[in-house]
């Protein structure tokens, strides 16, 4: 079968089986083409509560599928690849955060959405990279415990200096591996290009950026800019998608190593198998976890607008 034939079959089967396909922007281009909705974590979690279909297929990583399940517990939710976890989401567990909360009882616990459903049960509000600054600014309490990404947390702290933000040592191993030296080398190699980076990168890399934002924010910035060249400081698929959308512009990789194996573990054939009802991993969460964990997601949607 050709790629086009596989895609046509996916389109036919998702209609026949009443399946909505959500795909994070880090997915491969041929998967985005068969999705009903694509976007960053925030856009996808907002959509999760509103799609009318009986089944939702999440092409992304496990915490994203768990978010869909929490917001639409009556739906069948499938994660496109059973092995697609997010290493950052596994870095801190509920017991650790419960112990930290005992030390900081008057702090509001802000959890990046890249956390497990179980961990969310002990947090106050979720944020994504696109909503974090706005939400932290709006929290009444001045004392914030931000978990698990200390790089996103440091970026938020730089944008909201009036808050007392405590960070723990965690983060995305892919984004955090990019060095200041690589960023300087890329800027020297492409002097006419703007550097656009995800706030999961370390502060010295963020400090060199012309623009900092979520995956969707980076894409929108590049699409709407009058500039013609950009160095993309997030997962490398974003540079590829942008190159399709803006053939008159040039997109360079900040680092060859900016490749998330988990996001990339889903193939088009996995998507085909899922819409056939023969693949992926169905998400099951108990009622107690859903009730407790979704409070901080609901709060994020309420505060994030
Ligand atoms: P976004 O918030 O930009 O969707 O980022 C998700 C993610 O996993 C980044 O590594
Ligand atoms: Fe997790 Fe990083 Fe992959 Fe995003 S890029 S899913 S934060 S490991």
């Amino acid at each position: 079968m050709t790629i086009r034939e596989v895609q046509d079959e996916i389109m036919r089967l998702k209609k026949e089986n009443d399946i909505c396909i959500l795909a994070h922007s880090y997915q491969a281009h041929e998967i985005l083409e068969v999705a009903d909705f694509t976007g960053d974590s925030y856009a996808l979690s907002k959509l999760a509560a509103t799609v009318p279909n009986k089944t939702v297929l999440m092409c992304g990583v496990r915490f994203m599928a768990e978010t869909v399940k929490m917001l639409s517990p009556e739906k069948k939710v499938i994660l496109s690849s059973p092995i697609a976890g997010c290493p950052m989401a596994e870095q801190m567990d509920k017991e650790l955060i419960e112990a930290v909360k005992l030390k900081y009882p008057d702090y509001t616990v802000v959890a990046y959405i890249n956390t497990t459903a179980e961990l969310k049960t002990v947090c106050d509000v979720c944020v994504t990279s696109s909503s974090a600054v706005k939400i932290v600014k709006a929290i009444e309490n001045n004392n914030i415990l931000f978990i698990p990404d200390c790089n996103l947390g440091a970026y938020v702290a730089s944008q909201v200096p009036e808050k007392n933000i405590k960070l723990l040592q965690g983060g995305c191993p892919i984004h955090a591996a990019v060095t200041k030296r690589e960023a300087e080398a890329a800027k020297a190699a492409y002097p006419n290009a703007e550097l656009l980076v995800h706030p999961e990168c370390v502060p010295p890399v963020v400090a060199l950026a012309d623009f900092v934002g979520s995956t969707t924010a980076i894409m929108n910035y590049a699409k709407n800019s009058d500039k013609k060249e950009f160095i993309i400081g997030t997962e490398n698929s974003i540079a590829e998608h942008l190159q399709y959308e803006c053939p008159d512009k040039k997109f360079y990789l900040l680092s060859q190593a900016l490749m998330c194996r988990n996001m990339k573990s889903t193939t088009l054939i996995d998507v085909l198998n899922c819409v056939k009802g023969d693949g992926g991993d169905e998400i099951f969460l108990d009622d107690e976890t859903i009730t407790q964990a979704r409070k901080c997601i609901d709060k994020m949607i309420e505060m994030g607008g």
Side-chain angles (χ1 to χ4, degrees):
M1 270 174 118
T2 63
I3 289 183
R4 176 51 76 83
E5 284 165 346
V6 175
Q7 288 179 318
D8 288 347
E9 186 64 353
I10 291 170
M11 299 300 272
R12 188 184 70 76
L13 284 167
K14 74 171 184 178
K15 217 174 198 176
E16 191 173 292
N17 297 328
D18 194 24
I19 299 171
C20 172
I21 302 181
L22 300 182
H24 188 271
S25 342
Y26 288 166
Q27 296 292 296
H29 195 77
E30 64 268 24
I31 294 176
L32 297 194
E33 286 180 329
V34 295
D36 295 281
F37 300 102
T38 65
D40 65 5
S41 309
Y42 189 65
L44 294 180
S45 47
K46 272 178 66 175
L47 275 163
T50 59
V51 295
N53 311 68
K54 279 201 308 252
T55 301
V56 178
L57 170 60
M58 171 55 81
C59 301
V61 292
R62 186 166 296 274
F63 76 81
M64 295 176 176
E66 286 186 347
T67 303
V68 177
K69 186 68 186 175
M70 282 185 254
L71 293 170
S72 296
E74 72 294 348
K75 292 191 200 302
K76 182 172 180 173
V77 178
I78 312 285
L79 172 64
S80 51
S81 162
I83 56 166
C86 166
M88 171 165 24
E90 312 292 330
Q91 282 165 350
M92 291 174 196
D93 60 17
K94 188 178 156 193
E95 289 68 34
L96 172 78
I97 297 307
E98 277 175 328
V100 177
K101 278 170 66 164
L102 291 177
K103 265 180 85 182
Y104 301 105
D106 54 343
Y107 279 61
T108 296
V109 183
V110 177
Y112 195 17
I113 199 161
N114 301 37
T115 41
T116 62
E118 196 194 20
L119 181 54
K120 288 186 178 83
T121 62
V122 295
C123 299
D124 298 308
V125 56
C126 270
V127 294
T128 67
S129 57
S130 56
S131 61
V133 170
K134 182 178 180 187
I135 289 174
V136 169
K137 244 184 206 157
I139 291 171
E140 274 185 28
N141 192 352
N142 266 337
N143 293 327
I144 307 285
L145 174 65
F146 191 100
I147 60 163
D149 187 346
C150 63
N151 296 315
L152 175 63
Y155 174 68
V156 173
S158 73
Q159 303 299 302
V160 195
E162 65 274 22
K163 300 271 180 194
N164 169 33
I165 300 180
K166 255 207 182 358
L167 306 173
L168 297 185
Q169 202 58 44
C172 166
I174 316 296
H175 285 82
V178 179
T179 62
K180 181 182 177 199
R181 191 174 291 186
E182 275 176 300
E184 286 168 342
K187 282 174 77 118
Y190 309 111
N192 297 323
E194 284 197 325
L195 173 63
L196 318 183
V197 311
H198 198 283
E200 288 176 9
C201 291
V202 295
V205 172
V206 169
L208 291 171
D210 296 291
F211 178 79
V212 183
S214 73
T215 47
T216 299
I218 286 177
M219 290 181 81
N220 289 340
Y221 180 91
K223 280 188 259 182
N224 298 327
S225 169
D226 294 336
K227 296 266 164 33
K228 293 285 179 213
E229 296 180 48
F230 304 90
I231 303 160
I232 300 300
T234 189
E235 219 276 346
N236 289 338
S237 51
I238 298 300
E240 187 191 345
H241 302 326
L242 279 166
Q243 199 62 79
Y244 275 99
E245 288 198 48
C246 312
D248 59 322
K249 297 184 178 180
K250 281 188 174 167
F251 299 95
Y252 310 111
L253 304 181
L254 170 55
S255 160
Q256 293 280 355
L258 263 167
M259 215 275 289
C260 177
R261 270 191 287 157
N262 288 281
M263 281 284 187
K264 286 288 147 38
S265 69
T266 300
T267 65
L268 191 65
I269 296 295
D270 290 332
V271 180
L272 176 64
N273 290 335
C274 288
V275 293
K276 278 182 182 165
D278 183 26
D281 201 16
E282 182 168 356
I283 303 294
F284 295 100
L285 294 172
D286 62 72
D287 292 347
E288 176 69 11
T289 303
I290 289 180
T291 311
Q292 287 308 318
R294 87 167 265 175
K295 284 184 196 162
C296 62
I297 297 183
D298 286 340
K299 191 103 193 124
M300 169 183 81
I301 292 171
E302 182 194 313
M303 295 179 77

